[in-house]
Amino acid sequence: MQRSVRSRELIIKAMLALIEEGKLAPTAQQVAERAEVGIRSVFRHFADMESMFDDANKLTRDSYESLFVSGDREGTLDERMLHAAEQRAEAYDSLKHMLLATQIRRWNSPMLRKNYATAQRRLRKDLDDWLPELTAISNTHREAVDAITSFETWHRLREHQGLTKKAGIDVVVTTLQLLIPQ
């Protein structure tokens, strides 16, 4: 039994390592090779890649969520907007490969769609905790706040527009200042 648990963890850790290296859609064969187990072992432990992703999510969720919920939430509105943007920037940069891997598989995975929707609700609530002023803005502005603070926007700023982390944070904060009245 203990060997079986150890094998499952090795397989999950192998998949996570491949993703962190930029192999965003690792195959079962690649995972087996990295874990140094046979392909049969992979499918003895996991019915399919989705169940492997589900177990990986359960194993890592707490550490990922902790990247978003810490941080200095005191100060003026401008200071809190900056701190929130910095906190998300750090988290998004740390989780970039995992978030991209999720996006690749989400369209074909009910479990990943559900987990992603849950994560989006948590991020929205977390931003409400950072910035209680959000309750006083229009729904249109609130949706724009969620868009500008999303991983998708952050990824675009960093990867597609080539901005530095500081420049990306400046764009996010400037946009938040336009959307949230002082």
Side-chain angles (χ1 to χ4, degrees):
M1 180 70 159
Q2 196 171 26
R3 183 177 175 194
S4 178
V5 170
R6 186 176 168 280
S7 293
R8 283 179 75 83
E9 284 183 13
L10 277 174
I11 292 166
I12 291 170
K13 287 179 180 179
M15 182 191 67
L16 292 171
L18 287 165
I19 291 170
E20 281 306 308
E21 292 168 9
K23 291 178 178 64
L24 301 179
T27 65
Q29 185 62 45
Q30 289 171 323
V31 171
E33 289 169 6
R34 174 57 66 94
E36 298 180 348
V37 300
I39 190 78
R40 287 184 192 172
S41 289
V42 171
F43 289 113
R44 194 175 313 122
H45 292 287
F46 301 97
D48 51 29
M49 292 300 283
E50 178 154 336
S51 62
M52 192 183 312
F53 263 89
D54 191 31
D55 279 13
N57 181 57
K58 290 173 186 169
L59 181 70
T60 58
R61 183 181 306 140
D62 289 343
S63 65
Y64 291 165
E65 286 178 357
S66 71
L67 294 173
F68 291 98
V69 297
S70 60
D72 182 5
R73 295 171 187 239
E74 299 296 320
T76 66
L77 176 58
D78 282 340
E79 290 168 337
R80 287 180 286 118
M81 284 189 278
L82 175 61
H83 296 160
E86 291 171 336
Q87 188 73 28
R88 291 212 175 176
E90 286 297 321
Y92 290 152
D93 280 353
S94 293
L95 299 174
K96 177 177 89 171
H97 289 117
M98 185 57 69
L99 292 166
L100 290 171
T102 298
Q103 287 180 345
I104 287 169
R105 293 183 183 272
R106 192 176 67 205
W107 70 272
N108 196 30
S109 170
M111 177 272 303
L112 288 176
R113 281 194 303 274
K114 179 182 172 218
N115 289 349
Y116 190 80
T118 299
Q120 295 310 300
R121 286 190 299 277
R122 285 184 183 138
L123 285 172
R124 187 176 178 113
K125 179 175 180 339
D126 184 60
L127 202 54
D128 289 343
D129 292 343
W130 279 97
L131 308 169
E133 293 86 354
L134 292 174
T135 60
I137 65 175
S138 72
N139 287 339
T140 301
H141 282 187
R142 181 60 174 98
E143 295 304 325
V145 166
D146 280 347
I148 193 64
T149 60
S150 70
F151 171 72
E152 293 79 6
T153 297
W154 182 251
H155 183 67
R156 177 182 176 80
L157 292 171
R158 298 279 279 142
E159 298 295 323
H160 303 289
Q161 293 177 223
L163 299 182
T164 64
K165 183 184 283 189
K166 183 187 179 322
I169 290 169
D170 289 346
V171 168
V172 171
V173 171
T174 299
T175 306
L176 288 174
Q177 289 169 333
L178 295 170
L179 293 168
I180 305 169
Q182 302 282 329

